[in-house]
Amino acid sequence: MKETISALMDSELDGQQSQKAIGAICADEGLKRAWDEYHLIGEAMRSGSHLSVNVSRQVADRLAEEPTVLAPRRWFAPIRTRRAGAVALAASVSFAAVVGWQQLSHNGSPAGMMADRGVPVAAQAMQDRDDLYLSAHQEMTADQSVYKVSYGNGARR
Amino acid sequence: MSDREIDQQLVERAQRGEKRAFDLLVAKYQRRLARLLSRFIRDGSDIEDVTQEAFVKAYRALPSFRGESAFYTWLYRIGINTAKNFLSSSGRRPVVHSEFEDEDGESFDLASQVPDFNTPETEMMNKEIVATVNAAVEALPEELRTAITLREMDGLSYDEIAKVMNCPIGTVRSRIFRAREAIAAELRPLLDTAKNRRW
């Protein structure tokens, strides 16, 4: 396992192997010590200053007194889900745009003509019905008007 | 997995409550952070105190770390702020301060080039560690010495080292590991002594 940690430090493991190795180091004091030593060796070979600094134990002691941090999980969905949502949204917008465009720009189409004729046809039928009603009314009231007129005229007279 | 991704993994584990993952980040970055802080703070024991404080602050601030920058860039920024607070509260002047304002974490490694303000004890310990490591490297069989040197000093990948040394990558991996183990075996008595002496 120590060889795996050595490779982990050199960024030579893939994601899954790295996860496994990190988990192993966190769980094993001996592996953690190897992690410490290997880092120290690299720094000693490269720099040579502040190598004796070792605050690991003090920090660990202080963190033991700290409440455990628990960062909230990120609110956004995984990339794949977000991508699917974006595609669905784009499709909906496109569909609405196409339907709207057809409604507005295709007045000469059969659907438009039917819609256009619908209103006059209904209005014509209504007008014909009103005419019948009015003519009947006029027939009825013609006599009355005579009487009324007569009455009016007579009254005035 | 890159170095930055490994750090991110450790941070995410710590954010889920795994304190030991944060310990690994401390072990990895404590010396680099101390080197950086030595550009501000003169006294060796103050450097250690501020390093310690910076890590505790970083731990407390972990929930706000979202990985938009590298962990060490973020950590170094916390370290600098901690050092500034320390200096202002103690009424001391920073050793060096001008060129840090606009720099990001990556360039902070220049700190390794500045003079050391260690105490005589820590300076002696540094020298002992360097001497032990150098002696251990010199004592390695040539193929192990070449592999570890190409990796640590020249920063070559295993694939590049395999080409240079004309051997399989698996052999490179094994050689580097054996080199580290051999050096660590020489170093352990010194580190154990230092632990007993200091803590």
Side-chain angles (χ1 to χ4, degrees):
Chain A
M1 193 63 199
K2 280 186 176 179
E3 186 174 331
T4 306
I5 291 161
S6 171
L8 172 72
M9 281 180 48
D10 295 332
S11 304
E12 296 283 349
L13 298 185
D14 65 26
Q16 203 174 0
Q17 291 170 327
S18 297
Q19 285 274 19
K20 226 173 167 181
I22 289 169
I25 303 168
C26 288
D28 187 317
E29 195 57 42
L31 296 179
K32 184 183 174 296
R33 180 169 180 162
W35 169 270
D36 294 352
E37 290 168 348
Y38 296 168
H39 275 103
L40 176 61
I41 289 166
E43 287 179 66
M45 289 178 73
R46 287 189 297 272
S47 100
S49 81
H50 295 90
L51 298 173
S52 63
V53 169
N54 190 343
V55 296
S56 292
R57 187 182 293 180
Q58 293 97 318
V59 173
D61 288 347
R62 287 186 62 184
L63 294 192
E65 296 165 10
E66 292 279 324
T68 300
V69 297
L70 286 172
R73 285 194 177 277
R74 294 181 182 185
W75 62 269
F76 52 80
I79 289 170
R80 195 177 298 168
T81 312
R82 278 186 285 154
R83 193 174 296 152
V87 168
L89 181 64
S92 304
V93 170
S94 303
F95 179 73
V98 167
V99 169
W101 179 77
Q102 282 181 341
Q103 289 290 331
L104 291 170
S105 65
H106 286 76
N107 286 335
S109 70
M113 286 167 70
M114 282 171 71
D116 287 347
R117 273 186 303 193
V119 175
V121 165
Q124 187 66 42
M126 219 173 194
Q127 197 174 347
D128 292 347
R129 195 181 60 189
D130 289 348
D131 289 347
L132 284 170
Y133 173 79
L134 286 172
S135 61
H137 183 74
Q138 276 174 345
E139 282 171 15
M140 291 277 296
T141 55
D143 298 338
Q144 288 175 6
S145 67
V146 172
Y147 294 128
K148 279 179 188 171
V149 169
S150 308
Y151 177 76
N153 289 341
R156 241 181 268 142
R157 281 178 197 156
Chain B
M1 188 180 268
S2 70
D3 201 39
R4 180 170 171 169
E5 288 169 329
I6 292 168
D7 287 353
Q8 186 61 32
Q9 287 294 322
L10 292 170
V11 166
E12 285 174 13
R13 279 173 176 265
Q15 284 176 330
R16 293 196 295 265
E18 205 172 335
K19 286 182 178 175
R20 287 181 70 94
F22 193 77
D23 291 345
L24 300 187
L25 290 166
V26 174
K28 181 174 179 179
Y29 287 116
Q30 57 185 335
R31 291 171 289 270
R32 285 170 71 177
L33 185 58
R35 274 198 290 281
L36 168 78
L37 297 179
S38 72
R39 298 193 72 165
F40 290 86
I41 303 165
R42 187 175 296 273
D43 185 81
S45 63
D46 287 343
I47 291 170
E48 289 211 8
D49 289 345
V50 175
T51 303
Q52 189 187 135
E53 189 62 33
F55 276 116
V56 173
K57 282 185 178 175
Y59 180 78
R60 288 174 184 155
L62 268 188
S64 68
F65 179 74
R66 299 188 186 284
E68 286 146 2
S69 62
F71 171 75
Y72 64 84
T73 307
W74 180 76
L75 172 69
Y76 285 5
R77 188 64 62 188
I78 291 174
I80 287 169
N81 288 334
T82 309
K84 284 178 177 172
N85 291 341
F86 167 79
L87 290 167
S88 73
S89 66
S90 60
R92 286 179 242 185
R93 286 184 173 188
V95 179
V96 177
H97 54 89
S98 58
E99 62 260 53
F100 278 92
E101 294 301 328
D102 298 324
E103 289 187 20
D104 59 11
E106 280 81 356
S107 55
F108 293 154
D109 259 358
L110 293 171
S112 61
Q113 298 165 7
V114 300
D116 221 330
F117 296 109
N118 282 338
T119 61
E121 188 191 24
T122 57
E123 183 58 29
M124 190 178 78
M125 186 64 189
N126 269 331
K127 284 181 179 170
E128 283 182 50
I129 291 171
V130 172
T132 304
V133 168
N134 286 342
V137 170
E138 285 303 312
L140 290 172
E142 190 186 338
E143 69 273 13
L144 301 193
R145 187 169 65 246
T146 305
I148 191 74
T149 305
L150 289 173
R151 174 63 215 150
E152 295 288 12
M153 304 295 284
D154 301 312
L156 267 58
S157 68
Y158 286 7
D159 186 43
E160 291 166 327
I161 296 170
K163 283 172 185 155
V164 171
M165 298 186 74
N166 197 25
C167 66
I169 288 181
T171 306
V172 171
R173 174 176 156 146
S174 167
R175 284 176 180 171
I176 289 173
F177 163 64
R178 284 190 285 143
R180 283 182 171 140
E181 269 301 292
I183 300 165
E186 297 298 319
L187 208 47
R188 266 174 217 138
L190 180 63
L191 297 178
D192 289 341
T193 310
K195 264 186 193 172
N196 294 335
R197 196 189 305 163
R198 295 172 65 208
W199 301 301

